[in-house]
Amino acid sequence: MNEQTKTLDWFRTKKATITFAIISLTSGFFFLNQSLTGNVILNNSYSLNFLSIIGLLLIVCAVILAAYSIKKRG
């Protein structure tokens, strides 16, 4: 087995899926927290913030990955 095949096989494991879910969840909360990302400086005249959308999408991805890894268990 060559190195590329081993790497691709690792991405198909449950451990990789859970790792990406955790990274996505923490990144999503990081983008939602306005004091960490500098959104405090921005004017609050916008009702929808681009960084908040990114944070919500990352949290949704984390939920999907977690559900996939739980379903894949059986």
Side-chain angles (χ1 to χ4, degrees), residues 53-72:
I53 293 171
I54 292 173
L56 289 174
L57 287 175
L58 285 171
I59 291 172
V60 168
C61 288
V63 170
I64 291 170
L65 286 170
Y68 175 76
S69 67
I70 290 172
K71 184 179 178 184
K72 191 78 170 172

Side-chain angles (χ1 to χ4, degrees), residues 21-55:
I22 291 171
I23 291 171
S24 178
L25 187 66
T26 55
S27 299
F29 284 127
F30 177 76
F31 278 111
L32 283 178
N33 190 354
Q34 292 183 353
S35 64
L36 289 177
T37 57
N39 288 344
V40 174
I41 300 170
L42 293 176
N43 189 0
N44 288 332
S45 63
Y46 299 112
S47 62
L48 197 57
N49 191 355
F50 184 68
L51 291 176
S52 296
I53 293 171
I54 292 173

